[in-house]
Amino acid sequence: MAVKKGDTVLVIAGKDRGKRGTVERVEQTKRGLGVVVPGLNMAKRHMRSRTRTQQAGILDLPVPIHVSNVQLVCPRCDKPTRTGVQMLENGRRVRVCKNCGEQIEGAS
Ligand SMILES: [Zn+2]
């Protein structure tokens, strides 16, 4: 099961390797699924003012990080982990941490 909104992730590749953040949204990109994490993988966008009221300048925007470049951090044991899927009695599928075996609650 993929990373979800609200998950804490560790960046394992790229310029922000070793940093952590919370997933704001999951996006389909040209290269596959990406996660947008505020403060991580920021890119400067030069904005040109199109109207008189709009300010020209440089804007920092988070660029989606490919899911293969992040690893989910378990909220229980606070370690980057792989997840397994467990079926609950009510038929709901939950992600479990392969490290500590605890359920990882998703936002959705
Ligand atoms: Zn864990």
Side-chain angles (χ1 to χ4, degrees), residues 74 77 97 99-100:
C74 172
C77 61
C97 169
N99 235 346
C100 65

Side-chain angles (χ1 to χ4, degrees), residues 86-103:
Q86 203 173 60
M87 187 82 92
L88 296 183
E89 280 174 28
N90 61 13
R92 242 188 97 212
R93 283 148 61 93
V94 292
R95 295 175 300 171
V96 291
C97 169
K98 287 205 170 165
N99 235 346
C100 65
E102 287 288 338
Q103 288 175 19

